[in-house]
Amino acid sequence: GDSVTQMEGPVTLSEEAFLTINCTYTATGYPSLFWYVQYPGEGLQLLLKATKADDKGSNKGFEATYRKETTSFHLEKGSVQVSDSAVYFCALKGVKLIFGTGTRLQVFP
Amino acid sequence: KAGVTQTPRYLIKTRGQQVTLSCSPISGHRSVSWYQQTPGQGLQFLFEYFSETQRNKGNFPGRFSGRQFSNSRSEMNVSTLELGDSALYLCASSLDQTNTGELFFGEGSRLTVL
């Protein structure tokens, strides 16, 4: 069945560092891919999405490119801020929306 | 525009009891999904409703049930609670039946089973 695998956290970075959170997927067909973010005490929010191969989703300085050849959708940001500290979830939409286990990001000043 | 509202936000129950959680979607949204979030299992899909009909169901025992009303509000019920049911239960809404994967989540109902 469809599945999503994310790198385990926590990822700990200093402010202004470069961020990569790896995400790979297994799916039949051509799913849409998403990154959701969960700030402390809140529900999940859609961060960005890509619906077909080679699409790049971007929002708030975060980017991810849908790579069909490597079945990946890695999240990147060039310069993280303390306010980016949250849990990030990679997800794919086939028949239903399936989430990875989440990666906690901690950014220190 | 009001977001997804879940009630209650926190609740404590004992084993064997039952619980009902409520979700009011964003106005105009007709699709509601429920997820269980735990530290060990992450986010697991429970069910999805559209226009009062269950469209998809996850791999949970029959103790977990849900429904959707004509105003799109949804409830989920867990009967005969077990310790392992302790979790954050998240409700999410989307606009229509195409369900592109763009969901709007509530803040969740945190259930503790003692």
Side-chain angles (χ1 to χ4, degrees):
Chain A
D2 295 353
S3 66
V4 176
T5 302
Q6 290 182 237
M7 63 188 286
E8 289 197 19
V11 173
T12 304
L13 295 173
S14 298
E15 210 165 24
E16 300 183 3
F18 184 87
L19 168 71
T20 300
I21 300 179
N22 290 337
C23 170
T24 57
Y25 67 90
T26 302
T28 54
Y30 303 96
S32 295
L33 300 174
F34 305 84
W35 279 99
Y36 278 81
V37 58
Q38 186 176 32
Y39 297 102
E42 299 183 12
L44 278 72
Q45 302 174 24
L46 177 64
L47 181 60
L48 54 83
K49 68 172 184 177
T51 57
K52 60 182 187 298
D54 300 325
D55 264 4
K56 178 185 285 189
S58 61
N59 186 26
K60 299 181 180 180
F62 291 89
E63 294 183 337
T65 302
Y66 190 142
R67 301 285 188 199
K68 183 170 177 293
E69 63 277 12
T70 54
T71 61
S72 65
F73 193 55
H74 304 322
L75 182 68
E76 297 181 335
K77 186 174 185 183
S79 176
V80 294
Q81 305 299 313
V82 172
S83 57
D84 293 327
S85 299
V87 181
Y88 292 81
F89 293 89
C90 185
L92 72 81
K93 176 69 174 62
V95 173
K96 52 193 178 188
L97 188 62
I98 294 174
F99 289 88
T101 52
T103 302
R104 182 175 300 278
L105 170 65
Q106 297 174 321
V107 181
F108 293 96
Chain B
K1 187 164 163 179
V4 177
T5 304
Q6 292 189 243
T7 57
R9 290 292 315 278
Y10 303 92
L11 66 167
I12 299 173
K13 295 285 187 179
T14 57
R15 279 181 299 174
Q17 288 187 308
Q18 74 159 10
V19 66
T20 298
L21 309 177
S22 179
C23 172
S24 293
I26 290 172
S27 177
H29 285 194
R30 297 171 64 192
S31 177
V32 172
S33 301
W34 288 90
Y35 288 83
Q36 182 195 64
Q37 185 177 21
T38 59
Q41 300 295 318
L43 277 158
Q44 294 194 286
F45 172 75
L46 280 156
F47 14 70
E48 177 193 355
Y49 290 89
F50 177 79
S51 291
E52 302 178 68
T53 301
Q54 187 179 88
R55 291 204 299 177
N56 280 304
K57 189 175 189 305
N59 297 322
F60 278 81
R63 301 185 296 108
F64 291 80
S65 62
R67 58 179 176 169
Q68 187 181 32
F69 302 95
S70 58
N71 62 357
S72 295
R73 191 177 69 84
S74 177
E75 288 181 348
M76 66 163 284
N77 183 277
V78 188
S79 62
T80 319
L81 284 166
E82 300 176 359
L83 295 178
D85 297 332
S86 294
L88 181 67
Y89 290 88
L90 291 167
C91 169
S93 73
S94 59
L95 188 57
D96 57 28
Q97 63 182 339
T98 58
N99 193 353
T100 57
E102 296 184 44
L103 302 183
F104 295 81
F105 283 82
E107 294 179 319
S109 292
R110 184 167 295 282
L111 169 65
T112 301
V113 181
L114 303 177

